[in-house]
Structures are given as structure tokens and as C-alpha cells.
Amino acid sequence: MERTAESVGVWRAAKKFKRKSDLFGRNLSFLCALTVIVLTLSIVVFISSKGLSTFLVNKVSLGEFLFSTEWFPDRGAAEGGPKVGALTFIFGSVATSLLAVLISAPLSLITAVFMVEIAPGWGQRILQPTIELLSGIPSVVYGYIGLSVLVPFIREHFGGLGFSLLAGVLVLSVMVIPTIVSVSVDSLRSLPGHLKEAAYALGSTRWQTIRLVLLPAAKTGLITGIILGLARAFGEALAVQMVIGNTRKIAHSLLDPTITLTSGITMDMGYTAAGSLWNNTLWSMALVLLLMSFFFILLIKMVVKRGAVK
């Protein structure tokens, strides 16, 4: 009886300890999740309040900010007053990002298909670390390689200064390859095996199976990878800044220098006084980047939801 009572006491103590541990773990998890939410909301509110000051405090029109190419934030009233048109920066970011993804997306998708469906085991063991190595290289290293190798190559073989939209596009295209490849590989590997087996059973060749069965089945994941690569390219700053030329004018060809939103912010923020028109305009440019990030997230959710419905 004493042993039984003792066993029951131990069991109750263990159950009570487990219940307290579960409660502690649940509360800790909730606290961590709440912290992330608060941090995210704080960043959004802070950037929004700063970015909207350009329009609410300095009374700059939204049309002038978005559609004007005049950038004279420190010009005096005697010379016509300050102008803070950000179209040149927005155009530079959109052009470099889209062109970089146009180059990297096909290369990345082909690489992902090769890794999953074609490469032998030893090939996958080589390619996987190579892609991971590309993703781990710091941005400044990409920029320095572009500055030392790519810019002189463009200058000698294509003309111009070398610092150009083309240089920024090529550097970005290499940088976003790991993102697109990684997501695409995971998407292809997650496909059920019976899809490929059924295609082979019907007499399809390997290429027909890949093109007509596997790629359409993994379309949602592949598009998600491309959108994530586009978001990665849109937010890149240092590597592009080192090779794009940073001239505040719209590039009319791939060999012309231009500037992006991220480059403009990083170059000018340290030279502006807090609360000034110039400083507020830079925060407005940061707000544009934040809104573009939200747009990419919503686009991914729409793609995933549409794929799930199908």
C-alpha cells in the first residue's frame, strides 16, 4: 500500500510538472510570436510615419514624387526651390530587378530540374553545396567582383563607362540564382512519385515527363521562387550601388548608368538632417520599398492560393 501510494504521488507530481512545462512552453511560444508581431508593426508604423511626412508636413504632391525625374532636394528658393521627384530611383530599381530575373529565372529553373531529375547522385552532391555557397557570399564581395571584373569588361568590349544598368543587372542575376534554385528544387522534390511513374507507364520520355507533367505540377512553387528572387533583387543595395554608376537620370540603354532606390537611400541618408525635406523624402523612398515588399508577399499568397484551389 505504501509503495502504491508512493507511486501514485510520483505519477501525480510528474503529471503536474508536465502540465507546468507545457504551460511554460506555450506561454514562451506565444511571447516570442507576439514579439515578432510587435516588432513588425513597429517597423511598419515607424517607416510609414517618416515616409508620409514628405506629403503631410512638407506638402509635396504624390504625383511629383512618383512621376517627376527632377531631384534637387537641397536647392534654394532663389533657384526654384527643392524638387524631390523619385521616378529615376523607382525606374532604376524596377528595371534592374526585372531584367535580372529575366536572366536568372530560366537558368535557375533549368538548374533545379537538372539537380532533381537528371543529375546523378555525385552531381547533386556537387551542385547543392555550390548553390549554398553562392547564397552565402556577402553582397560586398559580389559588388567588388563586379567592380573589378565586370565593369572593365563592359567598358572595353561594349563601350561606355562600364558603370551601367547592364552591370547592375548581371550582378543581381547571379545573386538571385540561389533563391530561385532552392525554392524550385524543394518544389520539385515535394511532388508525389506517382506522377512520374504514371507518365513513364504511359510511354513518356524523360523530357516529356519533365515538360508536360512535373513542371506544370510544380508551377506554384516555381512561380513563388521567381517572385522571391524578384523581391531579393529589388531590395539589394550595396552590390548594385558599386557597379551601376549612381547617376540621377533614367538610363536609355543598358550601357547608361543610373541609380536605384536602395542606392539613393544609402548614399544620401548620412548627409541629411532629421526632419528636413531631403531626409523625409528618403524615408518616403524606404516606404516605397516596404510597399513593394508587401506587394510581393501578397502576390506569393495569391499564387499559392490559386495553386491550392486547382
Side-chain angles (χ1 to χ4, degrees), residues 177-251:
I177 284 176
T179 301
I180 302 178
V181 170
S182 298
V183 178
S184 300
V185 166
D186 292 339
S187 180
L188 289 170
R189 285 178 176 168
S190 66
L191 294 177
H194 65 77
L195 292 177
K196 184 163 55 176
E197 295 171 359
Y200 286 148
L202 292 173
S204 301
T205 63
R206 181 165 64 180
W207 169 241
Q208 289 174 331
T209 301
I210 293 172
R211 182 171 63 91
L212 300 177
V213 178
L214 300 182
L215 289 180
K219 181 176 64 176
T220 299
L222 302 180
I223 295 176
T224 299
I226 293 173
I227 296 174
L228 287 174
L230 181 61
R232 170 78 171 86
F234 199 85
E236 178 54 42
L238 185 57
V240 179
Q241 180 181 331
M242 295 175 70
V243 300
I244 203 169
N246 302 308
T247 57
R248 290 168 173 80
K249 62 180 182 180
I250 293 180

Side-chain angles (χ1 to χ4, degrees), residues 56-191:
L56 301 179
V57 178
N58 302 112
K59 305 301 179 181
V60 175
S61 67
L62 183 62
E64 177 186 348
F65 175 76
L66 293 178
F67 303 112
S68 174
T69 59
E70 294 186 277
W71 180 257
F72 307 105
D74 57 343
R75 190 169 63 179
E79 300 173 328
K83 296 291 183 180
V84 288
L87 179 60
T88 302
F89 302 92
I90 298 173
F91 173 83
S93 292
V94 172
T96 52
S97 302
L98 290 179
L99 292 175
V101 170
L102 285 177
I103 294 174
S104 61
L107 180 61
S108 301
L109 296 181
I110 293 172
T111 302
V113 169
F114 179 79
M115 288 178 60
V116 177
E117 298 297 333
I118 301 175
W122 61 268
Q124 295 182 17
R125 288 192 295 270
I126 293 175
L127 281 172
Q128 190 69 35
T130 302
I131 298 300
E132 293 173 356
L133 179 63
L134 282 177
S135 63
I137 297 176
S139 299
V140 66
V141 176
Y142 281 108
Y144 191 67
I145 293 174
L147 182 64
S148 304
V149 178
L150 186 59
V151 169
F153 179 83
I154 294 175
R155 182 168 55 242
E156 294 173 5
H157 293 84
F158 297 97
L161 299 174
F163 296 95
S164 58
L165 176 63
L166 178 61
V169 167
L170 293 178
V171 169
L172 270 184
S173 63
V174 176
M175 295 183 66
V176 301
I177 284 176
T179 301
I180 302 178
V181 170
S182 298
V183 178
S184 300
V185 166
D186 292 339
S187 180
L188 289 170
R189 285 178 176 168
S190 66
L191 294 177

